[in-house]
């Protein structure tokens, strides 16, 4: 299985889980999260974005570096390694830049 196929499968799996959760009342969904979990417009917007990414992956429009980073995010998500998935996502989205260096410190 290619990295691209794995990413597509992983994202479709996450969408299916989201849809399953949204279709029934899930005990333990906190009030602040329920607005996200049960939001049909947000689900449809995310689904459309996933389908666009799917097309890009199937067409080979992404380079090997972003595909590798997406594969790491998906691997960690499916393994339930949320902290590592977040770190991999940050690496994908902002890389190793020290973006916070431009933010003034409030602890002076």
């Amino acid at each position: 299985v290619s990295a691209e196929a794995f990413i597509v499968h992983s994202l479709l799996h996450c969408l299916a889980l989201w849809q399953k959760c949204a279709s029934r009342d899930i005990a333990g969904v906190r009030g602040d999260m329920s607005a996200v979990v049960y939001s049909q417009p947000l689900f449809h917007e995310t689904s459309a974005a996933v389908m666009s990414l799917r097309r890009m992956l199937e067409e080979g429009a992404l380079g090997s570096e972003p595909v590798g980073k997406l594969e790491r995010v998906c691997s960690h998500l499916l393994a339930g390694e949320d902290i590592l998935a977040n770190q991999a996502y940050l690496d994908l989205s902002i890389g190793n830049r020290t973006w916070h260096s431009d933010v003034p410190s409030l602890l002076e």
Side-chain angles (χ1 to χ4, degrees):
V1 175
S2 70
E4 291 85 355
F6 171 72
I7 294 165
V8 169
H9 173 78
S10 300
L11 295 176
L12 293 176
H13 175 72
C14 290
L15 283 176
L17 288 177
W18 184 0
Q19 193 170 38
K20 184 178 179 179
C21 289
S23 68
R24 56 191 166 119
D25 190 17
I26 304 296
V29 175
R30 293 189 315 252
D32 57 334
M33 286 300 297
S34 65
V36 173
V37 171
Y38 300 117
S39 170
Q40 284 300 310
L42 188 55
F43 177 80
H44 291 297
E45 180 182 338
T46 303
S47 295
V50 167
M51 294 309 144
S52 293
L53 179 58
R54 178 185 189 175
R55 279 189 296 280
M56 292 174 66
L57 288 163
E58 290 172 346
E59 294 169 358
L62 298 178
S64 61
E65 185 178 350
V67 168
K69 290 179 180 187
L70 279 167
E71 185 178 25
R72 278 191 22 237
V73 171
C74 291
S75 294
H76 291 308
L77 281 174
L78 293 179
E81 300 166 334
D82 297 336
I83 293 172
L84 293 174
N86 281 330
Q87 289 173 346
Y89 172 75
L90 286 175
D91 183 39
L92 173 67
S93 61
I94 65 170
N96 294 324
R97 292 180 287 173
T98 54
W99 62 272
H100 54 81
S101 64
D102 294 335
V103 177
S105 174
L106 299 177
L107 301 174
E108 292 184 7

XYZ file of all heavy atoms in Angstrom:
823
model
N 0.851 -1.181 0.000
C 0.000 0.000 0.000
C 0.896 1.243 0.000
O 1.824 1.351 0.806
C -0.932 0.014 1.233
C -1.723 1.293 1.315
C -1.846 -1.188 1.217
N 0.597 2.154 -0.871
C 1.383 3.384 -0.953
C 1.057 4.310 0.220
O 0.006 4.182 0.861
C 1.090 4.108 -2.266
O -0.221 4.633 -2.262
N 1.954 5.248 0.452
C 1.721 6.241 1.508
C 0.461 7.046 1.206
O -0.342 7.320 2.104
C 2.929 7.163 1.641
N 0.270 7.386 -0.053
C -0.908 8.167 -0.444
C -2.197 7.398 -0.159
O -3.155 7.972 0.368
C -0.833 8.539 -1.933
C 0.250 9.552 -2.267
C 1.632 8.933 -2.502
O 1.802 7.704 -2.320
O 2.544 9.689 -2.854
N -2.202 6.105 -0.493
C -3.399 5.277 -0.240
C -3.654 5.143 1.255
O -4.809 5.165 1.701
C -3.234 3.904 -0.882
N -2.584 5.007 2.035
C -2.727 4.915 3.488
C -3.325 6.202 4.058
O -4.219 6.162 4.912
C -1.369 4.632 4.141
C -1.388 4.726 5.633
C -2.030 3.752 6.397
C -0.786 5.790 6.279
C -2.057 3.847 7.781
C -0.811 5.889 7.659
C -1.449 4.913 8.415
N -2.861 7.345 3.588
C -3.370 8.635 4.068
C -4.852 8.772 3.731
O -5.663 9.138 4.587
C -2.554 9.803 3.474
C -1.121 9.768 3.997
C -3.213 11.142 3.780
C -0.155 10.632 3.205
N -5.208 8.457 2.489
C -6.612 8.545 2.074
C -7.469 7.627 2.935
O -8.519 8.035 3.452
C -6.771 8.213 0.570
C -8.236 8.027 0.200
C -6.136 9.297 -0.282
N -7.035 6.393 3.113
C -7.782 5.441 3.945
C -7.938 5.972 5.371
O -9.031 5.906 5.946
C -7.071 4.089 3.962
C -7.677 3.119 4.916
N -8.835 2.417 4.634
C -7.305 2.756 6.176
C -9.139 1.665 5.683
N -8.236 1.846 6.621
N -6.872 6.497 5.926
C -6.901 7.009 7.303
C -7.874 8.171 7.452
O -8.658 8.221 8.403
C -5.505 7.470 7.732
O -4.596 6.407 7.666
N -7.833 9.104 6.509
C -8.721 10.263 6.582
C -10.180 9.870 6.388
O -11.062 10.384 7.078
C -8.298 11.319 5.560
C -6.928 11.952 5.817
C -6.569 12.902 4.683
C -6.876 12.658 7.155
N -10.441 8.945 5.467
C -11.816 8.474 5.278
C -12.310 7.733 6.519
O -13.485 7.844 6.892
C -11.911 7.589 4.039
C -11.677 8.300 2.700
C -11.706 7.297 1.559
C -12.687 9.415 2.480
N -11.416 7.000 7.162
C -11.761 6.310 8.413
C -12.136 7.325 9.501
O -13.136 7.147 10.204
C -10.583 5.446 8.867
C -10.781 4.783 10.180
N -11.659 3.728 10.356
C -10.239 5.033 11.398
C -11.629 3.351 11.624
N -10.787 4.134 12.270
N -11.351 8.384 9.622
C -11.655 9.422 10.617
C -12.994 10.093 10.326
O -13.771 10.358 11.247
C -10.533 10.458 10.657
S -9.002 9.848 11.372
N -13.272 10.359 9.048
C -14.569 10.943 8.697
C -15.713 9.998 9.054
O -16.754 10.441 9.550
C -14.630 11.272 7.201
C -13.887 12.512 6.744
C -13.960 12.627 5.225
C -14.426 13.768 7.407
N -15.523 8.708 8.806
C -16.568 7.720 9.130
C -16.816 7.671 10.633
O -17.964 7.597 11.083
C -16.173 6.346 8.605
N -15.745 7.736 11.422
C -15.900 7.749 12.878
C -16.629 9.006 13.338
O -17.486 8.949 14.224
C -14.543 7.648 13.565
C -13.847 6.306 13.492
C -12.471 6.391 14.155
C -14.678 5.221 14.139
N -16.282 10.146 12.756
C -16.937 11.410 13.098
C -18.426 11.312 12.776
O -19.275 11.669 13.588
C -16.282 12.546 12.343
C -16.794 13.926 12.660
C -17.782 14.267 13.549
C -16.336 15.145 12.093
N -17.958 15.634 13.559
C -17.078 16.193 12.672
C -15.373 15.459 11.149
C -16.881 17.525 12.332
C -15.168 16.790 10.810
C -15.920 17.803 11.399
N -18.748 10.803 11.592
C -20.147 10.688 11.199
C -20.899 9.740 12.123
O -22.045 10.002 12.495
C -20.227 10.205 9.753
C -21.598 10.351 9.159
C -21.579 10.090 7.676
O -20.861 9.209 7.203
N -22.354 10.848 6.930
N -20.256 8.665 12.522
C -20.877 7.710 13.440
C -21.160 8.368 14.792
O -22.237 8.196 15.364
C -19.968 6.501 13.617
C -20.536 5.408 14.475
C -19.577 4.224 14.537
C -20.125 3.126 15.408
N -19.217 1.976 15.462
N -20.197 9.124 15.284
C -20.389 9.820 16.564
C -21.480 10.868 16.463
O -22.277 11.035 17.382
C -19.090 10.483 17.009
S -17.823 9.343 17.549
N -21.531 11.570 15.358
C -22.517 12.640 15.189
C -23.926 12.097 15.022
O -24.894 12.805 15.293
C -22.142 13.501 13.993
N -24.039 10.838 14.595
C -25.360 10.281 14.342
C -26.038 9.763 15.606
O -27.195 9.383 15.570
C -25.263 9.150 13.317
O -24.579 8.043 13.873
N -25.325 9.741 16.701
C -25.947 9.296 17.953
C -25.398 10.130 19.101
O -24.382 10.791 18.978
C -25.708 7.813 18.190
C -24.262 7.414 18.186
C -24.138 5.895 18.166
N -22.779 5.549 17.837
C -21.984 4.864 18.625
N -22.400 4.427 19.777
N -20.760 4.585 18.254
N -26.101 10.112 20.187
C -25.698 10.887 21.359
C -24.600 10.119 22.086
O -24.835 9.054 22.639
C -26.904 11.108 22.279
C -26.605 12.106 23.376
O -25.619 12.850 23.254
O -27.364 12.133 24.354
N -23.416 10.650 22.058
C -22.261 9.988 22.659
C -22.069 10.512 24.083
O -21.898 11.710 24.288
C -20.986 10.255 21.839
C -21.175 9.816 20.392
C -19.775 9.585 22.456
C -21.397 8.341 20.209
N -22.118 9.609 25.028
C -21.858 9.995 26.414
C -20.397 10.418 26.533
O -19.517 9.824 25.940
C -22.139 8.821 27.341
N -20.160 11.444 27.259
C -18.797 11.884 27.501
C -18.336 12.998 26.588
O -17.250 13.510 26.757
N -19.141 13.377 25.596
C -18.764 14.506 24.757
C -19.030 15.771 25.553
O -20.154 16.046 25.936
C -19.546 14.516 23.427
C -19.224 15.777 22.636
C -19.236 13.278 22.614
N -17.961 16.485 25.834
C -18.090 17.713 26.633
C -18.885 18.759 25.859
O -18.917 18.745 24.640
C -16.710 18.264 26.959
C -15.906 17.387 27.875
C -14.656 18.105 28.332
N -13.994 18.759 27.225
C -12.855 18.353 26.699
N -12.253 17.294 27.149
N -12.296 19.012 25.706
N -19.497 19.645 26.589
C -20.311 20.689 25.986
C -19.589 21.488 24.928
O -20.133 21.760 23.866
N -18.325 21.860 25.171
C -17.589 22.652 24.200
C -17.245 21.844 22.952
O -17.117 22.379 21.868
C -16.326 23.253 24.809
C -15.382 22.213 25.391
O -15.846 21.129 25.788
O -14.180 22.489 25.470
N -17.120 20.547 23.066
C -16.825 19.688 21.922
C -18.078 19.298 21.162
O -18.015 18.980 19.983
C -16.084 18.428 22.367
C -14.639 18.665 22.746
S -13.665 19.336 21.383
C -13.755 18.006 20.211
N -19.224 19.306 21.824
C -20.445 18.858 21.156
C -20.776 19.749 19.963
O -21.314 19.268 18.966
C -21.611 18.796 22.128
O -21.939 20.084 22.591
N -20.448 21.020 20.035
C -20.711 21.922 18.913
C -19.924 21.497 17.682
O -20.382 21.659 16.554
C -20.365 23.359 19.299
N -18.740 20.924 17.878
C -17.926 20.440 16.765
C -18.419 19.079 16.304
O -18.647 18.842 15.119
C -16.435 20.370 17.168
C -15.607 19.704 16.081
C -15.903 21.749 17.500
N -18.581 18.158 17.251
C -18.944 16.781 16.905
C -20.285 16.726 16.188
O -20.454 15.975 15.230
C -18.963 15.889 18.166
C -19.546 14.517 17.864
C -17.557 15.753 18.733
N -21.243 17.517 16.616
C -22.592 17.450 16.063
C -22.862 18.474 14.959
O -23.978 18.602 14.500
C -23.623 17.595 17.171
C -23.501 16.518 18.224
C -23.185 16.826 19.538
C -23.659 15.176 17.887
C -23.056 15.825 20.498
C -23.523 14.174 18.828
C -23.225 14.508 20.129
O -23.089 13.519 21.059
N -21.855 19.199 14.511
C -22.034 20.226 13.485
C -22.000 19.608 12.095
O -20.955 19.196 11.608
C -20.939 21.288 13.596
O -20.979 22.143 12.478
N -23.156 19.546 11.454
C -23.215 19.026 10.083
C -22.500 19.941 9.091
O -21.785 19.448 8.224
C -24.666 18.776 9.669
C -25.252 17.522 10.290
C -24.471 16.274 9.899
O -24.201 16.026 8.731
N -24.092 15.488 10.890
N -22.656 21.273 9.189
C -21.916 22.127 8.251
C -20.395 21.946 8.364
O -19.705 21.901 7.348
C -22.339 23.549 8.645
C -23.662 23.377 9.303
C -23.587 22.050 10.003
N -19.892 21.819 9.578
C -18.457 21.621 9.763
C -18.022 20.267 9.218
O -16.972 20.142 8.581
C -18.087 21.754 11.240
C -16.605 21.757 11.575
C -15.856 22.832 10.807
C -16.414 21.963 13.067
N -18.852 19.240 9.422
C -18.548 17.916 8.877
C -18.488 17.967 7.354
O -17.562 17.436 6.743
C -19.580 16.888 9.337
C -19.347 15.530 8.734
C -18.383 14.686 9.253
C -20.067 15.120 7.626
C -18.142 13.440 8.693
C -19.838 13.880 7.052
C -18.872 13.036 7.583
N -19.456 18.617 6.722
C -19.485 18.694 5.257
C -18.309 19.504 4.717
O -17.724 19.141 3.683
C -20.822 19.256 4.774
C -21.962 18.317 5.003
N -22.039 17.079 4.397
C -23.057 18.413 5.785
C -23.135 16.461 4.788
N -23.769 17.242 5.647
N -17.949 20.577 5.399
C -16.797 21.389 4.987
C -15.510 20.564 5.071
O -14.681 20.584 4.160
C -16.693 22.625 5.884
C -15.538 23.537 5.563
C -15.449 24.727 6.503
O -16.462 25.097 7.133
O -14.345 25.288 6.613
N -15.362 19.822 6.160
C -14.183 18.982 6.342
C -14.162 17.854 5.315
O -13.105 17.543 4.745
C -14.140 18.411 7.774
O -14.166 19.506 8.701
C -12.896 17.589 8.004
N -15.300 17.259 5.054
C -15.393 16.195 4.046
C -14.954 16.700 2.679
O -14.222 16.009 1.954
C -16.815 15.654 3.953
O -17.183 15.018 5.135
N -15.393 17.891 2.316
C -15.007 18.469 1.022
C -13.502 18.697 0.962
O -12.859 18.425 -0.063
C -15.761 19.783 0.786
N -12.917 19.164 2.062
C -11.467 19.383 2.094
C -10.712 18.060 1.987
O -9.696 17.968 1.289
C -11.083 20.122 3.377
N -11.215 17.029 2.647
C -10.584 15.705 2.573
C -10.673 15.170 1.143
O -9.699 14.594 0.629
C -11.214 14.730 3.590
C -10.800 13.290 3.304
C -10.810 15.112 5.010
N -11.800 15.365 0.477
C -11.942 14.894 -0.897
C -10.996 15.635 -1.840
O -10.432 15.043 -2.765
C -13.392 15.013 -1.377
C -14.352 14.099 -0.645
S -13.790 12.379 -0.615
C -14.336 11.880 0.991
N -10.782 16.921 -1.596
C -9.813 17.685 -2.400
C -8.404 17.154 -2.175
O -7.641 16.981 -3.135
C -9.864 19.172 -2.033
O -11.089 19.733 -2.405
N -8.065 16.891 -0.927
C -6.756 16.329 -0.615
C -6.611 14.943 -1.232
O -5.550 14.589 -1.753
C -6.541 16.278 0.900
C -5.214 15.693 1.380
C -4.025 16.471 0.804
C -5.168 15.688 2.901
N -7.686 14.187 -1.202
C -7.667 12.844 -1.815
C -7.317 12.928 -3.295
O -6.476 12.170 -3.794
C -9.024 12.182 -1.618
C -9.130 10.817 -2.249
C -10.526 10.263 -2.120
N -10.567 8.868 -2.527
C -11.633 8.109 -2.427
N -12.753 8.591 -1.913
N -11.602 6.855 -2.833
N -7.957 13.857 -4.007
C -7.665 14.029 -5.434
C -6.200 14.399 -5.646
O -5.539 13.866 -6.539
C -8.577 15.090 -6.051
C -9.954 14.568 -6.395
C -10.751 15.579 -7.208
N -11.031 16.819 -6.494
C -11.995 16.972 -5.602
N -12.779 15.956 -5.292
N -12.187 18.134 -5.009
N -5.696 15.301 -4.820
C -4.295 15.717 -4.946
C -3.354 14.539 -4.714
O -2.372 14.369 -5.429
C -3.989 16.848 -3.961
C -4.683 18.146 -4.284
S -4.445 19.398 -3.000
C -2.693 19.690 -3.124
N -3.670 13.720 -3.705
C -2.838 12.560 -3.413
C -2.896 11.547 -4.554
O -1.870 10.989 -4.960
C -3.264 11.908 -2.091
C -2.910 12.691 -0.831
C -3.709 12.184 0.351
C -1.415 12.612 -0.566
N -4.085 11.296 -5.067
C -4.237 10.318 -6.148
C -3.581 10.784 -7.447
O -3.122 9.968 -8.238
C -5.718 10.002 -6.363
C -6.311 9.197 -5.218
C -7.817 9.020 -5.300
O -8.479 9.740 -6.093
O -8.341 8.160 -4.554
N -3.512 12.100 -7.641
C -2.873 12.652 -8.837
C -1.363 12.820 -8.667
O -0.677 13.197 -9.611
C -3.509 14.000 -9.194
C -4.958 13.897 -9.621
C -5.656 15.239 -9.711
O -5.026 16.283 -9.410
O -6.848 15.252 -10.070
N -0.867 12.575 -7.460
C 0.558 12.748 -7.190
C 0.993 14.201 -7.181
O 2.136 14.519 -7.500
N 0.066 15.082 -6.811
C 0.337 16.516 -6.846
C 1.173 17.009 -5.668
O 1.652 18.139 -5.698
C -0.980 17.295 -6.906
N 1.338 16.187 -4.641
C 2.131 16.583 -3.481
C 3.514 15.944 -3.572
O 3.664 14.841 -4.076
C 1.453 16.151 -2.184
C 0.086 16.742 -1.897
C -0.464 16.186 -0.598
C 0.149 18.251 -1.824
N 4.496 16.622 -3.058
C 5.842 16.073 -3.037
C 6.002 15.021 -1.955
O 5.113 14.794 -1.134
N 7.141 14.386 -1.952
C 7.382 13.305 -0.991
C 7.469 13.806 0.454
O 7.074 13.084 1.378
C 8.656 12.537 -1.351
O 9.780 13.396 -1.314
N 7.958 15.016 0.654
C 8.079 15.536 2.030
C 6.710 15.731 2.696
O 6.485 15.207 3.789
C 8.886 16.831 2.064
C 9.129 17.313 3.480
C 9.979 18.573 3.525
O 10.543 18.984 2.496
O 10.079 19.154 4.620
N 5.760 16.461 2.062
C 4.455 16.588 2.715
C 3.716 15.257 2.838
O 3.013 15.028 3.823
C 3.680 17.581 1.849
C 4.465 17.783 0.621
C 5.851 17.302 0.875
N 3.891 14.369 1.871
C 3.247 13.058 1.955
C 3.795 12.293 3.152
O 3.042 11.677 3.914
C 3.419 12.254 0.641
C 3.009 10.801 0.829
C 2.611 12.894 -0.482
N 5.106 12.340 3.342
C 5.712 11.675 4.497
C 5.211 12.233 5.813
O 4.956 11.491 6.764
N 5.049 13.548 5.870
C 4.560 14.184 7.092
C 3.089 13.844 7.339
O 2.698 13.589 8.485
C 4.778 15.695 7.028
C 6.248 16.071 7.114
C 6.467 17.569 7.028
C 7.948 17.905 7.126
N 8.179 19.345 7.204
N 2.289 13.833 6.276
C 0.887 13.424 6.423
C 0.791 11.973 6.879
O -0.055 11.635 7.701
C 0.141 13.599 5.099
C -0.346 14.990 4.757
C -0.782 15.055 3.298
C -1.476 15.406 5.676
N 1.656 11.141 6.347
C 1.664 9.728 6.737
C 1.977 9.579 8.223
O 1.350 8.779 8.926
C 2.686 8.969 5.899
C 2.684 7.480 6.143
C 3.681 6.751 5.260
O 4.674 7.365 4.808
O 3.467 5.555 5.017
N 2.919 10.389 8.733
C 3.236 10.353 10.170
C 2.045 10.793 11.001
O 1.738 10.171 12.026
C 4.449 11.247 10.480
C 5.754 10.578 10.197
C 6.979 11.319 10.727
N 6.752 12.248 11.805
C 7.079 13.548 11.768
N 7.620 14.072 10.701
N 6.857 14.317 12.805
N 1.374 11.862 10.592
C 0.187 12.332 11.320
C -0.850 11.218 11.390
O -1.365 10.895 12.469
C -0.415 13.594 10.660
C -1.762 13.940 11.294
C 0.528 14.779 10.758
N -1.144 10.613 10.250
C -2.164 9.562 10.201
C -1.761 8.339 11.019
O -2.598 7.752 11.715
C -2.440 9.170 8.758
S -3.272 10.460 7.816
N -0.504 7.957 10.948
C -0.026 6.797 11.719
C -0.232 7.015 13.207
O -0.713 6.129 13.920
C 1.453 6.537 11.438
O 1.646 6.139 10.113
N 0.133 8.204 13.676
C -0.014 8.506 15.101
C -1.492 8.585 15.499
O -1.873 8.116 16.575
C 0.711 9.799 15.464
C 2.197 9.695 15.390
N 2.922 8.711 16.023
C 3.116 10.460 14.753
C 4.209 8.870 15.793
N 4.351 9.928 15.012
N -2.314 9.167 14.630
C -3.749 9.248 14.940
C -4.359 7.863 15.095
O -5.084 7.598 16.049
C -4.492 10.003 13.843
C -4.412 11.511 13.871
C -5.093 12.090 12.632
C -5.028 12.078 15.128
N -4.059 6.986 14.140
C -4.643 5.648 14.179
C -4.123 4.824 15.350
O -4.813 3.929 15.834
C -4.395 4.915 12.866
C -5.116 5.510 11.654
C -4.786 4.717 10.401
C -6.616 5.568 11.871
N -2.914 5.146 15.821
C -2.345 4.440 16.966
C -2.815 5.036 18.290
O -2.464 4.531 19.357
C -0.819 4.465 16.891
N -3.598 6.106 18.223
C -4.075 6.750 19.445
C -3.002 7.579 20.135
O -3.128 7.899 21.313
N -1.970 7.937 19.407
C -0.853 8.729 19.951
C -1.111 10.201 19.638
O -0.505 10.788 18.744
C 0.459 8.247 19.343
C 0.745 6.790 19.629
C 1.856 6.206 18.773
O 2.099 6.716 17.653
O 2.465 5.219 19.213
N -2.030 10.788 20.396
C -2.498 12.139 20.098
C -1.401 13.198 20.209
O -1.343 14.117 19.379
C -3.671 12.503 21.000
C -4.873 11.607 20.763
O -4.987 11.046 19.661
O -5.691 11.464 21.685
N -0.552 13.089 21.198
C 0.515 14.084 21.374
C 1.482 14.022 20.197
O 1.857 15.055 19.633
C 1.243 13.890 22.717
C 0.287 14.215 23.867
C 2.499 14.749 22.796
C 0.810 13.880 25.246
N 1.876 12.808 19.806
C 2.773 12.656 18.658
C 2.091 13.099 17.367
O 2.736 13.686 16.487
C 3.261 11.212 18.547
C 4.172 10.738 19.674
C 4.474 9.249 19.529
C 5.455 11.553 19.705
N 0.790 12.847 17.242
C 0.045 13.302 16.063
C 0.033 14.828 16.002
O 0.219 15.414 14.926
C -1.376 12.762 16.090
N -0.162 15.472 17.144
C -0.132 16.939 17.181
C 1.241 17.473 16.812
O 1.360 18.462 16.080
C -0.543 17.456 18.564
C -2.030 17.424 18.765
O -2.795 17.559 17.824
N -2.456 17.236 20.003
N 2.300 16.838 17.311
C 3.656 17.261 16.966
C 3.913 17.098 15.472
O 4.500 17.972 14.829
C 4.682 16.473 17.779
C 4.705 16.845 19.241
C 5.604 15.921 20.064
O 6.012 14.863 19.617
N 5.899 16.344 21.280
N 3.468 15.971 14.914
C 3.643 15.731 13.476
C 2.840 16.746 12.662
O 3.301 17.222 11.616
C 3.232 14.303 13.128
N 1.648 17.097 13.144
C 0.837 18.099 12.452
C 1.529 19.468 12.482
O 1.570 20.169 11.467
C -0.560 18.204 13.070
C -1.339 19.357 12.504
C -1.873 19.270 11.219
C -1.491 20.540 13.207
C -2.567 20.344 10.662
C -2.178 21.608 12.668
C -2.709 21.500 11.400
O -3.377 22.576 10.853
N 2.081 19.831 13.631
C 2.799 21.100 13.711
C 3.989 21.114 12.766
O 4.277 22.118 12.112
C 3.249 21.384 15.147
C 2.149 21.809 16.104
C 2.694 21.934 17.524
C 1.528 23.122 15.661
N 4.704 19.988 12.683
C 5.826 19.891 11.754
C 5.338 20.054 10.321
O 5.985 20.712 9.511
C 6.534 18.545 11.935
C 7.753 18.414 11.049
O 8.498 19.404 10.878
O 7.962 17.316 10.502
N 4.186 19.488 10.001
C 3.610 19.611 8.664
C 3.190 21.050 8.383
O 3.454 21.588 7.307
C 2.398 18.680 8.536
C 1.564 18.805 7.263
C 2.364 18.351 6.047
C 0.286 17.997 7.393
N 2.549 21.683 9.343
C 1.966 22.997 9.104
C 2.957 24.151 9.212
O 2.917 25.070 8.395
C 0.772 23.245 10.027
O 1.183 23.194 11.370
N 3.854 24.124 10.195
C 4.795 25.243 10.349
C 6.244 24.812 10.297
O 7.134 25.662 10.278
C 4.540 26.036 11.646
C 4.793 25.188 12.874
C 3.167 26.649 11.651
C 4.796 25.972 14.172
N 6.500 23.518 10.280
C 7.878 23.046 10.207
C 8.638 23.331 11.479
O 8.073 23.381 12.568
N 9.918 23.572 11.323
C 10.788 23.804 12.475
C 11.021 25.281 12.753
O 11.917 25.637 13.496
C 12.133 23.105 12.263
C 11.974 21.602 12.237
O 11.152 21.052 12.957
N 12.751 20.947 11.394
N 10.237 26.127 12.123
C 10.406 27.566 12.347
C 10.093 27.920 13.800
O 9.217 27.335 14.409
C 9.480 28.369 11.442
C 9.867 28.269 9.991
C 8.937 29.070 9.148
N 7.664 28.336 9.115
C 6.558 28.774 8.582
N 6.523 29.963 8.046
N 5.464 28.050 8.580
N 10.801 28.861 14.309
C 10.544 29.327 15.673
C 9.573 30.508 15.586
O 9.932 31.641 15.814
C 11.844 29.735 16.388
O 12.525 30.693 15.556
C 12.746 28.555 16.623
N 8.333 30.187 15.251
C 7.312 31.212 15.044
C 7.053 32.037 16.286
O 6.712 33.200 16.213
C 6.019 30.564 14.561
C 5.444 29.597 15.553
C 5.730 28.276 15.658
C 4.522 29.885 16.601
N 5.042 27.713 16.698
C 4.290 28.676 17.295
C 3.863 31.032 17.024
C 3.438 28.593 18.382
C 3.005 30.947 18.100
C 2.809 29.737 18.764
N 7.256 31.453 17.444
C 6.939 32.163 18.683
C 7.992 33.205 19.039
O 7.782 34.020 19.924
C 6.781 31.166 19.839
C 7.959 30.266 20.013
N 9.077 30.652 20.665
C 8.180 29.004 19.575
C 9.959 29.668 20.652
N 9.433 28.661 19.985
N 9.112 33.228 18.351
C 10.153 34.197 18.681
C 9.720 35.626 18.386
O 10.249 36.569 18.960
C 11.449 33.883 17.928
O 11.246 34.022 16.534
N 8.746 35.805 17.493
C 8.253 37.138 17.167
C 7.138 37.603 18.104
O 6.723 38.741 18.056
C 7.729 37.179 15.733
C 8.843 36.981 14.719
O 10.006 37.286 15.068
O 8.551 36.527 13.607
N 6.669 36.695 18.966
C 5.596 37.034 19.893
C 6.224 37.665 21.144
O 7.109 37.074 21.752
C 4.787 35.779 20.280
C 3.714 36.120 21.298
C 4.178 35.149 19.036
N 5.801 38.851 21.519
C 6.395 39.487 22.706
C 6.093 38.676 23.962
O 5.019 38.109 24.118
C 5.730 40.860 22.766
C 4.598 40.827 21.818
C 4.772 39.669 20.899
N 7.044 38.634 24.832
C 6.885 37.894 26.074
C 6.053 38.695 27.063
O 6.260 39.904 27.226
C 8.255 37.597 26.680
O 8.092 36.992 27.949
N 5.137 38.021 27.707
C 4.304 38.687 28.720
C 4.900 38.521 30.110
O 4.378 39.072 31.072
C 2.888 38.114 28.677
C 2.142 38.296 27.363
C 0.790 37.611 27.431
C 1.956 39.776 27.044
N 5.966 37.736 30.207
C 6.570 37.469 31.515
C 7.852 38.262 31.696
O 8.952 37.759 31.696
C 6.861 35.977 31.647
C 5.658 35.055 31.515
C 6.103 33.599 31.510
C 4.687 35.296 32.660
N 7.733 39.566 31.821
C 8.921 40.408 32.026
C 8.923 41.013 33.382
O 8.008 41.234 34.030
C 8.981 41.488 30.950
C 9.246 40.896 29.596
C 9.391 41.980 28.546
O 9.422 43.178 28.865
O 9.469 41.621 27.374
